Amino acid sequence: MASFKATDNPPELSSSEWPPKGENWNAGKRYFYIDADTSRGWPRESKTALCKFGVTGRKPEDRCEENERVLQEEWGIETDLEVVFIATGRITGAEKEIADHTRPWLPDAFQENAEWRRCPPRELARMAILIAEDRQR
C-alpha cells in the first residue's frame, strides 16, 4: 500500500533530523517528490508554480537543492525551490505515467522528457496520486 505525505511548507530538515520521526532511513527506499518554486509568490500570491517531480533514493531535500542548482547553471533560471510533496510506495513506479498525463503543463523552454511542469503543485500531487492508485487496479 502506498503512503503519501503532502505539505504546503515542509519543515527544513537538517541531516541530524533526517529521516522524519517514525521512518527509518534506508538507502534502498525510494521517494516520489515534488519541488515547487516559491520565489514568485506561491502559495499565497500565485496559483501556479514551476514544479519538478521525480523519484529518488536520496533525501528529497538534497535532490531539491540539486534541481535548483541545475535550473540556474543549465537554464539560467533563478528559483527558490522547496519540497512540497513526498510519497513512498507504488507511486514511485508511476513516474512515466505521471509525466505522460501532465505533458500539457510542460514549460516551453524544457525538452519533452523533462519532469518540470508549470502548474498548481497540489494539482500535480493529486494527479500523481490518482495515477498511482489507477495503476493498482
Side-chain angles (χ1 to χ4, degrees):
M1 173 171 274
S3 63
F4 304 105
K5 173 187 171 189
T7 58
D8 284 333
N9 287 313
E12 297 268 335
L13 296 177
S14 70
S15 57
S16 65
E17 295 170 314
W18 184 264
K21 290 183 176 22
E23 187 174 328
N24 294 321
W25 173 249
N26 175 350
K29 191 169 193 170
R30 295 170 46 87
Y31 295 90
F32 176 85
Y33 67 88
I34 298 173
D35 298 337
D37 178 17
T38 59
S39 66
R40 292 199 168 80
W42 183 87
R44 290 171 190 77
E45 298 165 21
S46 174
K47 292 184 180 176
T48 65
L50 180 61
C51 299
K52 165 73 167 82
F53 67 92
V55 175
T56 185
R58 299 171 32 210
K59 290 194 272 186
E61 289 79 5
D62 291 347
R63 285 291 290 142
C64 184
E65 289 175 13
E66 182 180 329
N67 291 331
E68 194 172 282
R69 190 171 48 256
V70 166
L71 270 181
Q72 173 62 38
E73 293 172 1
E74 293 184 20
W75 297 93
I77 300 172
E78 282 193 41
T79 60
D80 238 344
L81 292 179
E82 288 187 29
V83 179
V84 296
F85 181 82
I86 301 170
T88 58
R90 291 188 176 131
I91 194 170
T92 62
E95 188 175 16
K96 178 165 177 14
E97 289 91 342
I98 294 165
D100 290 345
H101 280 85
T102 61
R103 195 164 316 277
W105 299 339
L106 181 70
D108 291 337
F110 295 89
Q111 298 171 349
E112 189 173 316
N113 61 351
E115 295 168 338
W116 291 95
R117 300 292 184 261
R118 172 78 60 193
C119 62
R122 284 181 174 214
E123 195 168 334
L124 180 56
R126 279 190 210 109
M127 180 76 75
I129 291 168
L130 290 172
I131 291 166
E133 288 175 348
D134 191 47
R135 288 185 88 216
Q136 292 179 28
R137 294 180 194 153

